[in-house]
Amino acid sequence: MNRDQMIQQLDADPDGFDVVIIGGGATGLGTAVDAASRGYRTALFERGDFACGTSSRSTKLVHGGVRYLAQGNISLVREALQERGRLMRNAPELVRAQQFIVPTYSLAGKLYYLAGLKAYDLLAGRLGIDCTRSLSRTNTVEALPTIRDDRLTGGIGYFDGQFDDALLVVRLAQTAAERGAVVINHMPVSSLVKQGDRISGVVVHDAERGHEYTVKAKVVINAAGVFADSVRQLDQPKAPPSIIPSRGSHIVLDRSFLPGDAALMIPKTDDGRVLFAIPWLDRVVVGTTDVPVEQTEIEPRPDEDELTFMLEHCGRYLTKTPTRDDVLSMFAGLRPLARPTNVSGSTAAVSRDHVVSVSASGMITVTGGKWTTYRRMAEDVVDTAQRVGDLQAKPCITADIPIACPESIMRGARLHDRLPYDEDDIVRAVRDEMARTVEDALSRRTRALLLDARASIIIAPRIAQIMAKELGCDE
């Protein structure tokens, strides 16, 4: 992907595009892949970097959602498990199977979770990963060497998917580009263009060079996640809120806290959520919380209560109790939950189903959903766009489209002995993956900032030097 070449295409066709998408997260770029693969002229604009919001701040799971099964949302779980299977088939280099273990402390508890997770397997159908198994106390301790074994009677082992969320978003951008879509980051939409009372395009601002472009479109799609309401207000200044944001926070610990290959799943925490401790990129990711928030911040952070919550829950289940000094990094994301009729108290029970709506002026907005179901969300959005934009009807084909996964053979000098990245990873991020800032490179093209924030601070000046040379910037 070359950003300059993408920008040149904005002026190449005076008729503009069939579809313009606002938002470069999983849903927006999934929609770009779908629209472009159906043959529609497609453009996507992201005000920051691809996946800079919620899509890079997940628990790194491609899953059906065990908690939603307990809530009785069978249709969402079935849909998510089907999409999990499709992702593992279409992106095998990016999504892999991960074993999870639920520790049990009574026979009744063991039977309860065994029955529930067996049902989880059945809902996956032929796209399932592996069978749920009952584990003895000995097997559980072998799989989770640092589990506290007092009162432990055994465990339940089941399988789900794991991935690098930001990397998958970048690969979706590359897949969309391969199919002819224009996808540009650091280019916010500043206003909407209307003919009469219908939206006919957008005005975008190049945050790097200060240029503005008016881009025509037959249909405009708002996939801005937690900022969807801000985009809706460009269309209808008094539009009521359509989302309720919820903050999910995580901490990252050294691998010694959970040295085995299996992940730990705590089925019910004090706030009613499922909490995970998961091996990921030779670290352990712990999360997530579920806290309703009033404002949609660009850079949400875990608060003190969330940090204490996660550390305390780790201490309840692991023999090695983490302290704040053990936290290598922390991150938080805001979930754009579709606002229910009545909102009060915890957001843990708010549905993760997605909602597609159309304004009087023809703008399509998608809210809610979950990472795993991004492809299905995109399919519903593009089906709606066909009708709203009077586009030629074409079927969705993304269920079977492989996601781009370019090979890399470059190897350069190691950036830091606590990080698995080298200088050529940064060069590739600029040349092939449209990284434009130090944060793009450290947070999303590599995951250095999540793996070790202190080490990332140390190497940031070197990253800037490499990127400046590649981008032709002065000192």
Side-chain angles (χ1 to χ4, degrees):
M1 297 186 296
N2 183 289
R3 189 173 186 275
D4 292 337
Q5 292 176 4
M6 293 282 188
I7 290 175
Q8 290 174 9
Q9 293 184 54
L10 298 181
D11 294 324
D13 190 342
D15 294 328
F17 295 87
D18 296 318
V19 175
V20 162
I21 301 158
I22 304 171
T27 304
L29 282 161
T31 302
V33 171
D34 189 309
S37 68
R38 299 197 204 196
Y40 302 136
R41 294 167 298 163
T42 304
L44 177 145
F45 303 105
E46 162 57 45
R47 74 174 184 177
D49 184 28
F50 303 129
C52 67
T54 308
S55 294
S56 64
R57 303 163 190 247
S58 75
T59 316
K60 320 308 176 196
L61 298 181
V62 177
H63 64 145
V66 173
R67 179 164 60 92
Y68 313 133
L69 182 64
Q71 292 173 350
N73 195 340
I74 303 299
S75 61
L76 175 61
V77 175
R78 181 187 291 111
E79 178 180 89
L81 288 172
Q82 294 293 307
E83 292 303 315
R84 181 193 69 179
R86 292 187 177 103
L87 253 179
M88 295 188 75
R89 182 183 64 202
N90 295 336
E93 301 90 349
L94 302 174
V95 184
R96 69 178 190 88
Q98 170 66 56
Q99 184 185 26
F100 292 78
I101 295 178
V102 182
T104 58
Y105 300 92
S106 68
L107 178 59
K110 191 169 193 176
L111 293 174
Y112 174 79
Y113 292 117
L114 181 62
L117 289 166
K118 285 287 188 182
Y120 196 66
D121 291 348
L122 289 173
L123 289 172
R126 61 183 180 83
L127 292 175
I129 299 174
D130 204 340
C131 295
T132 294
R133 297 177 178 87
S134 173
L135 302 176
S136 68
R137 185 176 187 275
T138 300
N139 292 151
T140 301
V141 173
E142 287 176 351
L144 299 171
T146 52
I147 188 77
R148 288 186 181 273
D149 59 6
D150 47 310
R151 300 186 301 107
L152 184 72
T153 60
I156 306 298
Y158 75 101
F159 287 82
D160 243 325
Q162 187 183 58
F163 72 146
D164 183 330
D165 48 9
L167 178 59
L168 182 52
V169 170
V170 172
R171 296 296 179 254
L172 287 172
Q174 291 174 317
T175 304
E178 287 177 356
R179 293 181 173 271
V182 170
V183 293
I184 307 176
N185 57 0
H186 299 287
M187 185 167 277
V189 171
S190 56
S191 62
L192 302 174
V193 178
K194 292 187 177 182
Q195 285 187 339
D197 59 356
R198 299 289 294 180
I199 293 175
S200 59
V202 297
V203 177
V204 294
H205 176 80
D206 185 350
E208 283 193 0
R209 299 177 182 175
H211 298 160
E212 276 198 345
Y213 302 85
T214 298
V215 181
K216 296 179 181 179
K218 293 180 180 177
V219 63
V220 172
I221 296 168
N222 173 11
V226 292
F227 298 101
D229 283 340
S230 298
V231 175
R232 289 175 66 240
Q233 287 164 3
L234 295 176
D235 177 27
Q236 300 171 299
K238 296 183 179 180
S242 65
I243 66 167
I244 174 171
S246 166
R247 185 174 62 232
S249 296
H250 304 78
I251 57 175
V252 180
L253 303 172
D254 184 78
R255 194 74 164 84
S256 61
F257 285 92
L258 195 68
D261 293 332
L264 169 66
M265 194 272 265
I266 302 167
K268 191 169 184 180
T269 63
D270 292 347
D271 74 345
R273 278 194 64 82
V274 169
L275 190 74
F276 295 97
I278 308 168
W280 184 72
L281 299 182
D282 203 33
R283 301 290 193 275
V284 178
V285 174
V286 177
T288 175
T289 59
D290 198 319
V291 178
V293 295
E294 296 296 326
Q295 296 182 328
T296 51
E297 302 172 290
I298 293 176
E299 287 293 337
R301 291 175 57 86
D303 64 22
E304 287 298 312
D305 289 342
E306 289 175 290
L307 181 55
T308 300
F309 173 88
M310 288 184 281
L311 292 172
E312 285 184 351
H313 273 78
C314 284
R316 293 181 193 178
Y317 290 88
L318 302 178
T319 55
K320 186 178 178 182
T321 302
T323 67
R324 295 182 185 221
D325 290 341
D326 294 312
V327 176
L328 299 174
S329 181
M330 63 180 77
F331 61 97
L334 300 181
R335 306 178 186 92
L337 306 180
R339 179 174 286 270
T341 305
N342 297 309
V343 181
S344 63
S346 171
T347 51
V350 176
S351 173
R352 268 55 177 177
D353 289 300
H354 67 272
V355 174
V356 179
S357 60
V358 183
S359 72
S361 60
M363 184 168 71
I364 300 170
T365 296
V366 55
T367 56
K370 59 197 298 286
W371 221 123
T372 306
T373 60
Y374 84 90
R375 190 210 64 82
R376 181 55 192 275
M377 294 166 67
E379 179 179 350
D380 288 349
V381 169
V382 179
D383 284 348
T384 304
Q386 288 181 150
R387 172 176 55 82
V388 173
D390 196 25
L391 306 177
Q392 181 182 352
K394 299 177 183 179
C396 173
I397 61 173
T398 55
D400 300 308
I401 288 179
I403 295 171
C405 193
E407 293 185 6
S408 172
I409 58 174
M410 296 190 295
R411 275 292 168 263
R414 188 77 170 264
L415 290 166
H416 195 285
D417 59 8
R418 297 204 304 269
L419 293 169
Y421 305 112
D422 56 52
E423 292 184 351
D424 282 337
D425 289 318
I426 308 304
V427 172
R428 182 178 62 255
V430 177
R431 293 181 183 177
D432 302 333
E433 299 172 348
M434 216 181 283
R436 311 300 289 187
T437 71
V438 172
E439 185 205 348
D440 295 353
L442 284 176
S443 185
R444 290 171 292 277
R445 301 311 182 278
T446 70
R447 308 316 304 271
L449 193 59
L450 272 64
L451 300 182
D452 194 318
R454 297 174 185 89
S456 297
I457 291 170
I458 292 170
I459 65 173
R462 178 61 185 140
I463 302 298
Q465 290 177 340
I466 297 169
M467 296 185 72
K469 181 180 179 181
E470 287 295 316
L471 293 168
C473 299
D474 58 23
E475 188 65 24

